[in-house]
Amino acid sequence: KRRGRYKMDLSGRGAWIGFGIHENKEVTGFCGPYDLDGRSWLSSALLQVGTAPSGEGNLLTQDSSCYYPDRLWMRLRGKGLEIEQTLKLVSSTAAILHIQSKSSKSLWLYGDLNKGDWTLTDNILWSKLPNGELLLLSFEADVELRCHQGKYEARLGKADTRVVLSHYANPITLEKALVAAKAAVEQSTKLGEQHTVRWMNYIDSN
């Protein structure tokens, strides 16, 4: 697919990563992450939603999307399917993707890195990027994962699921990053709710 153009949102509690919405409607995930420090896209769309592995014959396309103060939102539709996605930057190092489907049809997540390879540890994909930064994708326990070099596929276990993307520009041990990623996905519902409350309080006070 062509890369096309991006609209990018760089908000999020001091985060050094950014995400956006692709103008190409066939891209079924948010653009990014974009490394603000390195001034480069780590992936054109790291978390795309599909109806088959690697997006083969994907029935879904973007139907609508919006930037809200506390999140990015996107709706996908195709062949009677409807999926909503929200992305929240809940800290300077973590974003939570929430996927909700109105169908029982199996869904897949897929994506690839522009540079670097994935390693799978438990249900966490991680990559030490060429610039030394660390990128992790943490999935819920019922998600089936496989990866090869810079590509991965994840079969979602249910119609309502969350994935945590973590990006560390500053030095951190892999062990600490894996522990934090696991804790974040286990607490993802609470973290997302707290994030929205912080934004609503900020808006109300201004």
Side-chain angles (χ1 to χ4, degrees):
K1 295 181 176 68
R2 62 182 178 86
R3 288 184 180 274
R5 297 176 59 195
Y6 310 86
K7 301 174 184 177
M8 187 161 63
D9 173 40
L10 303 178
S11 63
R13 304 191 70 208
W16 285 94
I17 51 175
F19 295 89
I21 296 171
H22 210 298
E23 292 186 351
N24 180 355
K25 299 298 184 181
E26 293 184 1
V27 177
T28 57
F30 298 105
C31 303
Y34 184 84
D35 182 355
L36 298 182
D37 193 31
R39 298 294 189 267
S40 63
W41 290 98
L42 302 181
S43 175
S44 58
L46 192 58
L47 293 155
Q48 291 202 69
V49 180
T51 51
S54 301
E56 300 165 359
N58 198 355
L59 302 176
L60 301 170
T61 56
Q62 288 186 39
D63 173 73
S64 53
S65 58
C66 189
Y67 293 85
Y68 292 97
D70 67 319
R71 66 194 185 277
L72 296 178
W73 175 85
M74 181 187 297
R75 180 167 58 209
L76 309 174
R77 281 183 171 161
K79 299 293 184 181
L81 303 173
E82 182 175 327
I83 291 94
E84 291 190 7
Q85 302 181 78
T86 58
L87 183 71
K88 298 181 179 182
L89 292 169
V90 297
S91 74
S92 61
T93 58
I96 296 175
L97 176 67
H98 185 196
I99 301 167
Q100 295 173 290
S101 174
K102 295 184 178 181
S103 167
S104 59
K105 184 176 179 61
S106 295
L107 294 177
W108 297 75
L109 281 176
Y110 61 95
D112 60 271
L113 293 169
N114 289 338
K115 296 180 181 179
D117 296 330
W118 289 115
T119 299
L120 178 60
T121 301
D122 295 328
N123 245 37
I124 300 172
L125 290 167
W126 60 271
S127 179
K128 191 74 172 290
L129 303 176
N131 61 4
E133 297 177 358
L134 193 59
L135 183 67
L136 304 95
L137 296 178
S138 184
F139 296 84
E140 295 178 346
D142 59 356
V143 175
E144 300 175 12
L145 283 162
R146 57 177 178 258
C147 62
H148 177 67
Q149 297 179 342
K151 300 180 182 293
Y152 79 91
E153 298 170 353
R155 187 175 186 225
L156 304 184
K158 55 183 183 293
D160 190 313
T161 190
R162 290 173 173 83
V163 182
V164 177
L165 185 152
S166 306
H167 175 254
Y168 293 94
N170 297 318
I172 185 174
T173 66
L174 177 60
E175 181 181 7
K176 287 183 178 180
L178 290 172
V179 169
K182 182 179 179 181
V185 78
E186 290 174 349
Q187 302 171 22
S188 57
T189 301
K190 180 180 178 181
L191 292 172
E193 291 171 350
Q194 291 174 339
H195 173 75
T196 296
V197 169
R198 282 193 297 267
W199 266 103
M200 293 302 103
N201 289 341
Y202 172 77
I203 292 170
D204 290 343
S205 65
N206 288 273

